[in-house]
């Protein structure tokens, strides 16, 4: 079964880590504290951030559903809040809903979502089972264009609050926008991969966006390395907390 998922990801035959060799060890896996720039995160310029930071799940969902903080609300079918186990240990963060997500109201349900499901299955995970999936932007940018900085700034407090409520043990960012938003810095995926970053005390691992992987098949092998690093980091965290 697992072989089928890996084959679907273009990753079969399977690579195995040698005993004692950490995925990404060549680039170092020490957690790195990367604080958000002062004034960013849960305190956007529109002044709603502090209030959002106090909302419970139901109020947060209502707020996102009715959000008109940026022009994307004019072109969306619906806001796409996020899906999964609200007490999940794993959080995967993408960029923004596409056409299918906008129509169905759930993240990652199109082609990229199929690949994400296979990526999850390859490390023994499943959507909704100890996994939560969210996006940086809750509304679809028209034509799937890149998010604008102002849209990210206005929407980011929702994601920050989701993370506070979930309190995941590990975050995996998918693509440049999720990584840059949560790490609060501009950098390439290539430069951020292979290291365990820190988002407010939560380990964060950077990987490619599944839609990118669908267009760049050779990089699926790198995504597999990222998943191995994520799995190893989670195992280490679970071991530490069990002690
Ligand atoms: N791409 C994303 O980043 N998120 C989705 O929900 C779908 C596609």
């Amino acid at each position: 079964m697992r072989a089928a998922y890996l084959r679907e990801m273009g990753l079969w035959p399977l690579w195995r880590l040698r005993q004692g060799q950490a995925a990404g060890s060549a680039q170092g896996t020490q957690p790195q504290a990367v604080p958000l720039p002062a004034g960013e995160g849960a305190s956007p310029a529109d002044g709603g951030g502090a209030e959002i930071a106090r909302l419970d799940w139901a109020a947060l969902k209502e707020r996102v559903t009715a959000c008109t903080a940026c022009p994307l609300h004019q072109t969306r079918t619906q806001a796409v809040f996020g899906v999964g186990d609200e007490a999940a240990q794993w959080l995967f963060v993408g960029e923004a809903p596409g056409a299918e997500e906008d129509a169905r109201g759930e993240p990652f349900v199109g082609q990229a979502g199929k690949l994400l499901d296979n990526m999850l299955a390859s490390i023994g995970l499943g959507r909704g089972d100890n996994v939560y999936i969210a996006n940086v932007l809750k509304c679809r940018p028209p034509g799937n264009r890149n998010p604008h900085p102002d849209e990210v700034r206005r929407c980011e407090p929702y994601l920050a609050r989701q993370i506070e409520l979930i309190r995941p043990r590990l975050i995996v960012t998918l693509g440049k926008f999720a990584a840059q938003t949560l790490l609060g810095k501009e950098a390439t995926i290539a430069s951020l991969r292979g290291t365990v970053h820190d988002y407010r005390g939560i380990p964060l691992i950077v990987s490619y966006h599944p839609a990118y992987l669908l267009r760049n098949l050779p990089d699926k092998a790198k995504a597999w390395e990222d998943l191995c690093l994520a799995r190893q980091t989670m195992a280490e965290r679970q071991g530490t907390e069990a002690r």
Side-chain angles (χ1 to χ4, degrees), residues 80 93-102 106-110 112-113 116 133-137 144 174 209-211:
V80 178
V93 180
E95 179 178 316
E100 288 196 56
E101 291 78 19
D102 173 71
E106 183 173 330
F108 283 103
V109 288
L116 177 60
I133 303 171
N135 284 311
V136 173
L137 290 192
N144 297 346
L174 304 168
H209 194 285

Side-chain angles (χ1 to χ4, degrees), residues 43-183:
S43 306
D46 68 11
E51 195 195 323
I52 291 167
R54 289 193 294 271
L55 299 179
D56 64 14
W57 275 114
L60 185 64
K61 278 178 202 166
E62 252 176 55
R63 179 86 178 238
V64 168
T65 303
C67 183
T68 56
C70 84
L72 293 183
H73 77 275
Q74 292 163 354
T75 47
R76 73 181 177 214
T77 304
Q78 58 192 313
V80 178
F81 181 73
V83 71
D85 179 349
E86 292 174 356
Q89 293 183 332
W90 292 83
L91 171 65
F92 289 79
V93 180
E95 179 178 316
E100 288 196 56
E101 291 78 19
D102 173 71
R104 289 174 51 185
E106 183 173 330
F108 283 103
V109 288
Q111 277 305 105
K114 189 167 173 269
L115 177 55
L116 177 60
D117 286 338
N118 284 321
M119 290 165 71
L120 295 177
S122 74
I123 53 168
L125 298 174
R127 183 181 288 250
D129 182 9
N130 201 16
V131 170
Y132 196 91
I133 303 171
N135 284 311
V136 173
L137 290 192
K138 308 306 186 204
C139 297
R140 181 188 181 212
N144 297 346
R145 64 157 169 75
N146 286 340
H148 291 164
D150 190 55
E151 294 159 359
V152 173
R153 192 171 55 85
R154 287 171 188 276
C155 216
E156 192 273 340
Y158 296 134
L159 177 62
R161 185 60 183 151
Q162 285 175 305
I163 297 173
E164 276 171 8
L165 289 168
I166 298 166
R167 301 176 64 83
R169 284 199 183 160
L170 182 70
I171 300 172
V172 180
T173 57
L174 304 168
K176 183 176 84 171
F177 284 94
Q180 292 187 348
T181 301
L182 291 183
L183 294 177

